Amino acid sequence: MDIRVLGPLAVRSVGGEAAPSAPKPRQVLALLAARADEVVSTDALVDELWESDPPASAVTIVQTYIVLLRRTLADALRIGSSEVARHVLSFKGWGYRLASGTGTHDAGEFLRHADLGRRALERGENERASVSLRKGLDLWRGPALADVRVGPRLLAYRTSLEESRLSVIEQRAEADLRLGQHHALLGELSGLVIRYPLHENLHWLYIISLYRSGRPGQALKVFQQLRNNLREDLGIDPSPRMWRLHQAILTADVQLQPPGESKLFPLELGTPSERVH
């Protein structure tokens, strides 16, 4: 089966789509798909569907949904429901396990590309990092589980995926900045700092991109806006790393020059490990 959670839920095989349209069975399948090849306890499924207020018949209802899912999976896989119960969506004594078999899982592929890209960036292999991180981001088709009602378990899973996605976007932007693509980054980063007004590293990348694009005045305005946002919302000032960047712009520090004009990348003003979100 091919499992897709980075966008609308999709569980497909040669026979077609296995995800039902009914909200609660779809929610059960989404949790099983999110944790494919792991056992999801019946209690976890009940908690996902009803949180702290399950009906007396909750376990029976979950069992009914499992029967329905086995039928849709049997149709998609073109095998019998009994075989699905044994090998694809099986009961393990205290919960259910959805086996992906030889299929693909987009979240797993995303995390694999993200790890490869992060490691390449740490080694200074900027082009390789950019390629790997872009491959991971290209797997996204919209917000994770965009068409699924989410309870506490899926909400935690979706939040984790979205945080990972933002981190990969940062790392890819940093790799591209190291490669001298500051002009190309301006549009993307301008939208991101509006969406995440307290996110220091996105502002750091945007400010450097603006400076390298010949717009130091706007770079200073972006710093000031971040400072205002942090003070108004959190009652704090920007980190020392951001102040060092601010001072470097005021003094036209050579470290801020684009690649090719300076052998230095402005990491001495703050390394990736100093990121503040």
Side-chain angles (χ1 to χ4, degrees), residues 64-244:
T64 301
Y65 293 156
I66 294 295
V67 171
L68 171 63
L69 292 176
R70 283 172 173 162
R71 289 175 184 164
T72 61
L73 288 166
D75 289 341
L77 293 166
R78 295 178 180 171
I79 59 177
S81 293
S82 59
E83 188 174 352
V84 169
R86 287 194 301 271
H87 303 298
V88 182
L89 181 49
S90 54
F91 181 63
K92 296 299 181 182
W94 53 279
Y96 297 90
R97 175 179 180 270
L98 179 65
S100 60
T102 58
T104 61
H105 195 302
D106 61 353
E109 283 294 294
F110 164 70
L111 295 174
R112 184 178 68 83
H113 286 301
D115 184 61
L116 290 172
R118 176 183 57 80
R119 291 174 184 272
L121 190 64
E122 289 173 351
R123 294 191 299 266
E125 298 172 358
N126 301 317
E127 189 167 352
R128 179 173 294 181
S130 180
V131 169
S132 293
L133 296 168
R134 284 180 187 279
K135 284 181 178 178
L137 293 170
D138 286 346
L139 292 168
W140 286 76
R141 298 167 291 115
L145 299 171
D147 60 350
V148 177
R149 176 190 177 273
V150 297
R153 308 284 176 134
L154 283 177
L155 178 59
Y157 177 72
R158 185 169 69 182
T159 301
S160 176
L161 282 176
E162 294 289 353
E163 284 293 326
S164 295
R165 183 188 193 183
L166 180 59
S167 179
V168 171
I169 290 172
E170 284 182 71
Q171 293 165 17
R172 197 227 73 241
E174 183 170 318
D176 289 346
L177 186 59
R178 292 184 182 190
L179 292 168
Q181 298 180 22
H182 39 278
H183 289 290
L185 285 168
L186 290 178
E188 178 185 16
L189 289 172
S190 66
L192 286 169
V193 298
I194 291 172
R195 185 176 178 185
Y196 301 100
L198 305 178
H199 198 299
E200 278 206 357
N201 199 55
L202 289 174
H203 283 77
W204 189 79
L205 293 166
Y206 186 37
I207 288 168
I208 294 174
S209 296
L210 285 167
Y211 183 87
R212 288 184 170 180
S213 298
R215 296 154 72 175
Q218 189 173 348
L220 292 172
K221 287 181 181 179
V222 171
F223 173 87
Q224 187 60 48
Q225 185 61 58
L226 172 65
R227 185 185 184 191
N228 293 341
N229 293 340
L230 290 171
R231 284 184 168 181
E232 291 175 8
D233 289 15
L234 302 178
I236 62 175
D237 273 327
S239 68
R241 174 176 180 253
M242 293 299 297
W243 281 107
R244 290 197 296 272

